[in-house]
Each structure stands twice: as structure tokens, then as C-alpha cells.
Amino acid sequence: MNLSTIFHSILLIIFIILIIGTILVVISENRNPIRTLSWILILILLPGVGLLFFYFFGQDTQKMKNISAKYYKRIKDKSFNLLAKDCNIEAPPQYSTLVALLENNNYSFPISGSEVEVITKGERKFEALLEDMENARHHIHMEYFIFDQDNIGKKIKEVLMKKASEGVQVRFLYDNVANWAVPQKFYDAMKTTGVEVSSFMNVKLPAFHSKVNYRNHRKVVVIDGAIGYIGGMNVGDNYKSDPNWRDTHLRITGRGVHGLQAKFLTDWYFATNSYFEPEPYFPPLEAKTDNLMQIVTGGPTGPWYNLLQATNLITMTAKKYIYIQTPYFLPTDSLLQSLQTAALGKIDIRLMVSAKSDSPYVDPAAHSYYEDLLRSGMRIYEIQGKFLHAKTIVSDDMLSVIGSANMDFRSFESNFEINCYMYDEKIALRNKEIFLEDMKECKEILLEEWVKRSRWKKLIESFMQLFAPLM
């Protein structure tokens, strides 16, 4: 045996030891069994690629030292002390458990008195946003997953720079990985006028592997502590004017903005380690309506998956109906069970997704769940000719959820997300109306037709479902 053969044999043994060791690590972490099996499968079938993927995307988020919950708690304690007078509000009796859950697992107190505009057109969102920014007097806080350097991106950037040069405090937070294509000079130009700019979890060596999987998917704007934006729309021309792009966003005025402000300041502190007294950013605001809301974040920083817990509870406690819109549908095992249970209990559960999403590898994985859900009585609608990017839930003419979180593993477990939970009949009826209007552009998936698709499609769907927890 020559040296070359010996060398290759040693490399092979080391590689096999790495594969076995990684599998043992996956098993020892006591993850969700489905996720564990998915990682084991990819490590066995595609060992080289599997090792690489696990290194970057597979490490246990709950044990990452670079994501420390202490940063969150410190500023939440400070911020929400200012809202204490609003924390004794009585929630609608049917949602008292949900309100308590979100208080306990996310420190998200209910806040009353906000006016809410539900926006379904990008033109309206950006028209209102630009006007509100122009009128800013004290501060503009902006946080986006995607901020493109196209027409609308440049226009918003110009206003941010203008307001900063006028003495308005402007803080701009963006996701590092999602905006890799944006050159540094785009942000440097903002800094020259006084805009404070930071990326969220800057991904670079040597901690590249421990951060690249955890994206800040939030879309938040707070202006003068009195006007706020939250929802599914990033900053880009497609969100503004693409007729085939369907999204939902909120413009909030009033006390509910304080909830958004607390979350932004938390993220800013996390990203920059920069702390300042929060009082000036929570101006006293009069109650304008009977609206009650909670601003809730989710992410890999705590012991619970907040948004998943809330979705399961909503599903299991609905009395009449739940209508869901999401661009990606890859339910966890617990969510799948709660949806089936509610549907079998004669709750009218409807899911609306795109007939074709912008992620072709996700579609067959999503389709693999359809048959079991249809058999339980759930109804599924695919919107035709459009990409549905809205992330909404409406239930029982009282509860609405609008935010950044998709119905998938990534949003529930890995991404930093933010949702607005509203207990308001008027808003719920508006969201219900929007859902029913969108249904006119949908094709309903019927069980008797769905089961007739080819065996080849079924095989591909079943195979892709194995990787759903990793998508």
C-alpha cells in the first residue's frame, strides 16, 4: 500500500468519524424528532453537503452564545415600565388565555386605544410612509429584512438623510445576509448626514457559521413614537407597484406604537449594544379607539417558540372559523395536529397560499401536507396569477394577526419575527372581507381531485417533506 492510498484511507476514516459524530450531536440535542430525522437523512444521503449545511444552518439556536436573552430583558424591563398604566386592561374573555400566554412568553402587554389602517396595496403603504417620514420631528426608527437600492429604496433613503440633516434622530437597522448585494457605500452615504446605521447580526468570520442561519425578518417603522408600520412588505419596487404581488401591512397610530417602539429599541440594543434612556421615545398618547393589541416578537432567543405557541392556541380555541394567508406553508407537527383537530371539530379552517410561490423547492414540500388536511375537513385555496406574500390570520370576527411570520419552520423557530395581535371586531371584519375578496381569485383544492395527481408527484412531495424542517 503506497502513501497516497494510506493518506486517502485516513481522510476517509476522519470523514466517517465526522459524519458519525455529527449525527450523535444531532441526536444528543433532543431536538424535534422530525428535525432530527431530517438532519440524519441529509447527513447520510449527502454527507459532504450535509456536513457543510449543518455547520452553517444546523446548530441548536437555543444554545448559541451570540444570541443572549439578557439584552432583550434589560430594555424590555425599562420600556414596559412606561406602559404599566396600560397593563391592567381586561381582554375579551374568549382571548384571556391568549393574552396571558403572550404576556408570559414574550413580555408583550396588551395596549389599548390605537387607530389601525389595514393596507393591501404597496402604493398606499409607501405613499403614507413617505408622508409620515417628512412630518417627523423627533425620530425615525426603521428596521427591514430587505431594503433594495431601487427607486423606492433610494427615495426612502433620501428622506432619511434629509431628516437626519435637519436634526431628526434617524436609526436604520437592516438584515445583513438578506442585503449582501447592497454595497457598503449605500449605507456610508446615509451615515454622512447623521443617520445611525447598523446591520442586525453582522455575518463575518470567525462567527459566520453561528449567525448566518438567523435572519431578522422583521419590518418595523416607528415615527416620533406615535406612528408605526408593521406587516409583510419590505422596501422594494416589487412591493410597491408589482400588480402580481399581494401583501398586507398595518399603519398604526396611537398607543400601540409603544409596543413597536419597545421591540425596535430592543433590536437596536442587541445589534449595537447602544443603550439610551427610553422615556423620550414613548410620548404620552391619548386613546383614540377601543382597539386592543399586543406586539409580539419571535426568535431563537428564548426557551419557547412564542409565535408557534400562539398559533396553536388560536387554532385550538376557535369557535367558528380561522382564515389563514401565508406565502409558505410548512407546518410543524404540533401545528399540523392542531389544524386537523380543529377541522375535525367542525371549525371552518381555510388556508390561502399562492398557486406558485417564489421558492419552487418549497411548493412540493407544502403540497405533501394537503391530503391529510383536506381529509380532516380543512379547505385550501391557491390564488392564481399572483404571489401571495401576506401573513395574516383572522378568527371569529374578533381576532386578527398581521405581521412578518410565515407558517413555516423557519419563521417559528429560526427567524427574528414580529406580529401584531388585535382583539377588535371592526379590524377582524375588515380582514375577513379582504380574505373573502381574495378568494375570488383562487382555485379551491378539492380532495377528490387532489388524490388523482400522479404517483411521481406524490413521491417528490413526500421526499421534499423530509427536508421541510430545514427550509
Side-chain angles (χ1 to χ4, degrees):
M1 183 179 292
N2 57 39
L3 289 177
S4 176
T5 302
I6 294 173
F7 178 72
H8 283 95
S9 297
I10 292 173
L11 286 180
L12 179 60
I13 292 171
I14 293 172
F15 184 71
I16 292 172
I17 291 173
L18 281 174
I19 294 292
I20 294 174
T22 304
I23 290 174
L24 291 175
V25 168
V26 172
I27 294 172
S28 67
E29 287 178 343
N30 295 318
R31 303 167 181 238
N32 179 296
I34 297 176
R35 181 179 285 270
T36 298
L37 289 173
S38 297
W39 275 116
I40 291 174
L41 183 66
I42 196 171
L43 286 166
I44 292 174
L45 295 180
L46 302 168
V49 174
L51 277 177
L52 188 66
F53 268 64
F54 184 80
Y55 182 74
F56 289 120
F57 306 114
Q59 299 189 53
D60 188 355
T61 61
Q62 301 300 324
K63 298 178 181 178
M64 301 306 295
K65 292 182 180 180
N66 62 295
I67 305 175
S68 176
K70 69 180 181 182
Y71 296 128
Y72 281 81
K73 190 174 187 306
R74 179 176 172 184
I75 199 166
K76 281 178 180 178
D77 287 342
K78 289 280 188 179
S79 301
F80 276 115
N81 283 340
L82 301 174
L83 299 176
K85 62 181 181 298
D86 233 13
C87 296
N88 296 318
I89 297 169
E90 290 189 14
Q94 65 271 39
Y95 295 110
S96 60
T97 303
L98 177 61
V99 170
L101 170 71
L102 297 176
E103 283 189 41
N104 288 328
N105 71 7
N106 193 240
Y107 211 172
S108 298
F109 296 116
I111 305 172
S112 65
S114 304
E115 287 185 349
V116 177
E117 179 185 358
V118 182
I119 300 172
T120 59
K121 301 290 184 182
E123 295 92 337
R124 169 57 190 159
K125 183 237 172 154
F126 290 108
E127 173 189 32
L129 176 60
L130 287 166
E131 182 179 351
D132 290 334
M133 290 169 59
E134 288 282 5
N135 294 328
R137 293 294 176 265
H138 183 261
H139 66 270
I140 300 174
H141 290 162
M142 183 172 289
E143 175 177 4
Y144 274 103
F145 175 60
I146 294 174
F147 193 98
D148 285 337
Q149 52 178 336
D150 52 16
N151 292 329
I152 188 61
K154 291 176 181 177
K155 196 167 186 177
I156 292 176
K157 172 188 172 184
E158 289 171 1
V159 177
L160 291 174
M161 295 169 66
K162 173 188 171 186
K163 299 308 291 188
S165 65
E166 293 175 357
V168 174
Q169 298 175 37
V170 180
R171 296 180 177 92
F172 178 79
L173 190 60
Y174 65 95
D175 183 79
N176 185 233
V177 173
N179 296 281
W180 268 348
V182 179
Q184 184 59 40
K185 64 180 181 181
F186 182 85
Y187 307 114
D188 290 341
M190 297 169 71
K191 294 178 181 178
T192 61
T193 62
V195 178
E196 296 182 60
V197 180
S198 178
S199 64
F200 189 89
M201 289 184 64
N202 192 28
V203 177
K204 58 184 180 181
L205 296 175
F208 179 92
H209 75 283
S210 64
K211 294 183 178 181
V212 71
N213 193 40
Y214 312 126
R215 306 280 35 89
N216 183 351
H217 197 236
R218 297 167 185 165
K219 299 96 171 146
V220 173
V221 181
V222 179
I223 299 169
D224 291 343
I227 301 173
Y229 290 82
I230 179 177
M233 297 184 197
N234 290 293
V235 173
D237 287 343
N238 56 327
Y239 295 90
K240 178 180 182 294
S241 54
D242 186 345
N244 297 320
W245 194 283
R246 170 63 188 87
D247 218 325
T248 301
H249 218 77
L250 295 178
R251 180 180 183 268
I252 303 170
T253 57
R255 292 176 176 175
V257 179
H258 285 181
L260 280 176
Q261 186 78 285
K263 305 305 184 185
F264 176 87
L265 294 179
T266 298
D267 286 350
W268 185 259
Y269 180 73
F270 175 78
T272 67
N273 206 26
S274 174
Y275 177 78
F276 37 82
E277 288 302 318
E279 281 83 356
Y281 304 96
F282 294 85
L285 300 171
E286 296 295 324
K288 298 184 177 184
T289 69
D290 293 328
N291 176 280
L292 185 66
M293 68 170 57
Q294 290 173 283
I295 304 295
V296 183
T297 52
T301 56
W304 302 290
Y305 296 127
N306 310 325
L307 303 182
L308 176 60
Q309 287 181 333
T311 306
N312 281 330
L313 184 59
I314 291 168
T315 304
M316 295 300 293
T317 56
K319 302 299 182 185
K320 296 179 180 178
Y321 74 88
I322 305 170
Y323 297 165
I324 301 168
Q325 291 181 316
T326 181
Y328 314 110
F329 182 71
L330 298 171
T332 65
D333 188 56
S334 65
L335 179 57
L336 187 66
Q337 290 295 325
S338 64
L339 288 169
Q340 290 174 318
T341 301
L344 288 166
K346 300 301 181 183
I347 304 300
D348 178 13
I349 302 194
R350 305 184 191 188
L351 169 69
M352 186 181 296
V353 294
S354 303
K356 185 178 181 181
S357 76
D358 63 344
S359 299
Y361 61 89
V362 171
D363 291 342
H367 293 163
S368 68
Y369 297 98
Y370 282 12
E371 186 171 333
D372 285 343
L373 291 169
L374 290 169
R375 289 189 185 280
S376 70
M378 184 167 157
R379 301 176 71 179
I380 300 175
Y381 299 85
E382 291 185 340
I383 197 165
Q384 305 295 304
K386 291 183 177 181
F387 177 46
L388 180 67
H389 194 253
K391 306 97 163 43
T392 73
I393 301 173
V394 59
S395 178
D396 292 350
D397 292 350
M398 181 57 72
L399 173 67
S400 299
V401 184
I402 295 175
S404 68
N406 304 311
M407 289 281 178
D408 62 12
F409 288 86
R410 173 160 291 279
S411 281
F412 287 139
E413 299 181 1
S414 298
N415 282 349
F416 292 83
E417 304 281 3
I418 187 166
N419 283 351
C420 180
Y421 292 73
M422 293 170 284
Y423 313 92
D424 183 306
E425 182 179 10
K426 182 179 177 181
I427 298 298
L429 290 175
R430 173 61 182 139
N431 284 319
K432 182 181 181 181
E433 177 186 27
I434 292 170
F435 187 97
L436 295 176
E437 189 66 25
D438 285 336
M439 275 181 54
K440 297 176 182 178
E441 301 184 59
C442 291
K443 175 184 176 183
E444 183 173 4
I445 305 299
L446 301 175
L447 178 62
E448 56 268 26
E449 296 176 2
W450 186 251
V451 295
K452 295 178 182 178
R453 67 199 189 286
S454 70
R455 291 183 178 179
W456 177 244
K457 281 189 175 181
K458 293 180 182 179
L459 180 62
I460 293 176
E461 292 165 5
S462 297
F463 180 75
M464 293 305 296
Q465 187 189 106
L466 296 172
F467 302 97
L470 313 182
M471 293 181 183

